[in-house]
Amino acid sequence: MCNFCPSRRGLFSGIGSLAVTAALGAVASRSALAQPTRSVETPDAALARLMEGNARYASGQMSERDFSAGRVARTQGQAPFAAILGCADSRVAPELAFDQAPGELFVVRVAGNFVTPDGLGSLEYGAAVLGTKVIMVLGHTSCGAVNATVDALQKGNTLPGHIADLVRAMKPGIEPVLKTPGADLQQRAMIANVQANVRRLQTEKPILGDMVAAGKLKVVGAYYDLPTGKVMMV
């Protein structure tokens, strides 16, 4: 055997050590990826980040992003900083409106942006498990679901299929507005619907209400202005 060549046993041992080291490194990498970093850690900072992103969007100065970057890392977990209860309207996309990358927002959408049992469970999961710091109930101008509810309550017309369920769900928040005289009825109804759902989420037991009371979570209301792209707090 050549005196200058490593033994077969030593060679295989070295290869084995390298394999173990590589495997441990891969495990460590996966472990690190499984602990995603949240971009902000307080309710006030989360709300500020949302509004700063919307300011960029409305002014046409959105951040440039490679959406394929980080795709593999995102398979290991998520740490969204905010949850949005928004309308299903195709003209309002929360990730765009707040200029946020994938993994930053936990979004629940339903026509009329109101709380449903499934939506509530989703928002509770976002706050208690994923750690979202703020929930924003986001309405928008010219909301078809709100306008249909106003018309149905005023005229007594019956909407077909399960569309009528939307009216029944939004009626408690919108009906009081109909009794108050003034212009811009549909705008006031949209805002009232947002505010009613904010109040509900702020007091929902046993999860969201307790987190709000402890200062761990903030629930706010806002609406998206279709012509300008600006989000207005209400």
Side-chain angles (χ1 to χ4, degrees), residues 32-234:
L33 289 174
Q35 302 296 325
T37 302
R38 201 176 338 277
S39 53
V40 295
E41 289 293 347
T42 68
D44 288 340
L47 181 57
R49 183 177 174 88
L50 283 177
M51 300 310 291
E52 288 165 2
N54 177 250
R56 293 193 301 272
Y57 170 78
S59 64
Q61 298 178 349
M62 295 176 69
S63 304
E64 292 186 10
R65 291 189 174 90
D66 177 2
F67 287 97
S68 64
R71 186 180 294 153
V72 174
R74 288 193 293 271
T75 66
Q76 306 302 318
Q78 57 174 321
F81 72 89
I84 308 293
L85 172 56
C87 184
D89 194 294
S90 61
R91 299 167 292 180
V92 186
E95 289 85 355
L96 293 178
F98 294 105
D99 190 24
Q100 298 300 318
E104 297 285 6
L105 300 182
F106 192 70
V107 180
V108 175
R109 298 179 70 173
V110 61
N113 47 267
F114 61 88
V115 180
T116 67
D118 293 340
L120 175 59
S122 296
L123 293 171
E124 289 177 335
Y125 177 80
V129 178
L130 301 180
T132 55
K133 302 303 177 183
V134 64
I135 297 174
M136 178 180 284
V137 181
L138 183 66
H140 65 93
T141 56
S142 303
C143 180
V146 170
N147 295 348
T149 299
V150 170
D151 288 343
L153 294 177
Q154 284 183 321
K155 303 172 184 178
N157 56 312
T158 302
L159 297 173
H162 293 287
I163 300 175
D165 293 340
L166 301 178
V167 172
R168 283 190 285 272
M170 290 188 283
K171 178 180 177 180
I174 291 177
E175 191 171 38
V177 176
L178 304 182
K179 302 174 183 178
T180 305
D184 301 322
L185 175 59
Q186 293 177 339
Q187 178 80 353
R188 290 188 290 117
M190 178 270 292
I191 292 174
N193 180 56
V194 167
Q195 293 172 331
N197 285 280
V198 168
R199 289 192 296 270
R200 177 177 175 183
L201 291 176
Q202 287 174 333
T203 57
E204 273 291 345
K205 299 290 184 179
I207 296 176
L208 299 183
D210 290 347
M211 293 183 71
V212 169
K216 298 178 180 178
L217 176 71
K218 179 173 286 190
V219 181
V220 299
Y223 71 88
Y224 175 90
D225 184 57
L226 285 177
T228 66
K230 293 180 179 180
V231 170
M232 313 290 188
M233 302 296 297
V234 298

Side-chain angles (χ1 to χ4, degrees), residues 6-21:
S7 67
R8 290 183 179 181
R9 179 178 299 176
L11 177 62
F12 292 148
S13 176
I15 293 174
S17 297
L18 290 173
V20 170
T21 300

